[in-house]
Each structure stands twice: as C-alpha cells, then as structure tokens.
C-alpha cells in the first residue's frame, strides 16, 4: 500500500512538472503508473518468499549438522520416542466404532 501511495505522489509530480500535463491528466497517469510499479513490487515479493523460507530451513539444517541442538538432545539418549498407548492420537477424522 505504501509503495502505491508514494509511487502515486512521485509519478503524479513527474507527470505534472516534467511532462507539463494538466493536474487531472497527471493524477490519472500517476495512478496508472503507480499501480504498475506496485504490481511489479508485489509480484517480486511474492515470488521471492519461498526462497527466503528455503534459505532459512537450509541454514537450520546446516546448524544441526554442525552440532547444534537436535531433537535427541531434548529428551536424552535413553528417552522413549513412542507415545504411550493410553494417549489417543489427535485426529480430525471420526473413528470407526
């Protein structure tokens, strides 16, 4: 939203003073171009977000390989990994009784 508003102001001023357009035409031209700029900005952010996530998880895997904290260190070497039989599994599907 900020990119759209700031772009509208800057591009309207450019249309008005650099192109010598009348105010109504400059406002419409500035709005059109600011929508284009904001759309490209949004698309670039949207397409880059999976890369940031994969880079963060890759860094976490690297720190785990380098001797960082792991799931086994949380429970100890003799910890039981299975859940007790008395505990009911969390499920959103109904049982078949």
């Amino acid at each position: 939203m900020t990119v759209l508003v700031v772009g509208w102001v800057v591009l309207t001023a450019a249309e008005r003073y650099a192109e010598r357009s009348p105010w109504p035409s400059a406002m419409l031209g500035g709005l059109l171009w600011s929508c284009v700029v904001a759309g490209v900005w949004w698309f670039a952010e949207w397409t880059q977000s999976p890369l940031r996530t994969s880079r963060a998880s890759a860094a976490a895997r690297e720190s785990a390989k380098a001797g960082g904290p792991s799931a086994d260190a949380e429970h100890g070497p003799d910890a039981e990994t299975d859940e007790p039989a008395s505990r009911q599994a969390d499920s959103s599907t109904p049982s078949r009784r």
Side-chain angles (χ1 to χ4, degrees):
M1 183 67 165
T2 305
V3 173
L4 179 67
V5 173
V6 171
W8 189 13
V9 170
V10 169
L11 292 169
T12 298
E15 288 279 331
R16 172 72 178 132
Y17 295 110
E19 299 292 327
R20 307 273 188 228
S21 297
W23 276 110
S25 176
M27 298 231 358
L28 286 175
L31 180 61
L32 172 71
W33 284 109
S34 65
C35 287
V36 170
V37 169
V40 170
W41 185 283
W42 171 82
F43 182 75
E45 287 288 321
W46 182 66
T47 56
Q48 292 296 317
S49 64
L51 292 177
R52 278 190 232 133
T53 304
S54 65
R55 287 180 190 147
S57 61
R61 284 192 304 269
E62 288 298 320
S63 69
K65 285 181 184 176
S70 65
D72 293 336
E74 191 174 294
H75 299 290
D78 297 330
E80 188 176 328
T81 57
D82 294 336
E83 292 184 8
S86 62
R87 184 173 175 187
Q88 191 174 12
D90 296 332
S91 176
S92 60
T93 58
S95 64
R96 295 185 181 209
R97 287 193 219 178

